[in-house]
Amino acid sequence: FFEVKNSLLLSYLIDLANLLRLTSTPKTTISPDNENKIKSTLIRLGEMKVAFEKIRPMEKKLQYQIDKLLSYTSGGSSSFATAVTTPDDEGEDD
């Protein structure tokens, strides 16, 4: 899932940079070939935007699991051990 999302984001950024490069030339020097490239880049960017919109609900469904995994990895083994332990050990100090 994340590989697809990252590659889609990378493609989006590449096409966006390409569009900026194509449109940064003055309007009088834009050739018909560049106009076709601009149109095709805009179409691809629109398609990728739709893909991002479809990915967003899936990411929201996975958000809880992602947060849980990140909290385990950022907290180290002590937070994982705390999450795994049960309250059965509380009555032993009597």
Side-chain angles (χ1 to χ4, degrees):
F1 173 76
F2 290 112
E3 289 180 31
V4 171
K5 182 181 174 189
N6 287 337
S7 66
L8 185 64
L9 184 59
L10 180 62
S11 297
Y12 187 82
L13 291 174
I14 289 171
D15 280 346
L16 193 59
N18 189 25
L19 180 67
L20 289 173
R21 182 184 59 84
L22 289 170
T23 57
S24 66
T25 59
K27 296 285 184 189
T28 57
T29 61
I30 293 179
S31 67
D33 184 45
N34 277 352
E35 286 181 16
N36 291 336
K37 288 180 183 179
I38 290 171
K39 288 178 185 177
S40 65
T41 302
L42 286 172
I43 290 170
R44 279 195 313 269
L45 287 171
E47 291 170 352
M48 285 186 250
K49 181 181 175 186
V50 170
F52 279 124
E53 290 171 355
K54 291 185 182 220
I55 286 176
R56 187 167 293 142
M58 289 188 284
E59 189 174 13
K60 284 185 180 180
K61 287 180 182 178
L62 291 173
Q63 190 63 43
Y64 174 74
Q65 293 174 350
I66 293 168
D67 290 341
K68 195 171 182 180
L69 286 173
L70 289 176
S71 69
Y72 286 152
T73 58
S74 66
S77 60
S78 62
S79 65
F80 181 73
T82 305
V84 173
T85 57
T86 58
D88 295 342
D89 299 331
E90 293 177 2
E92 292 180 8
D93 291 338
D94 291 341

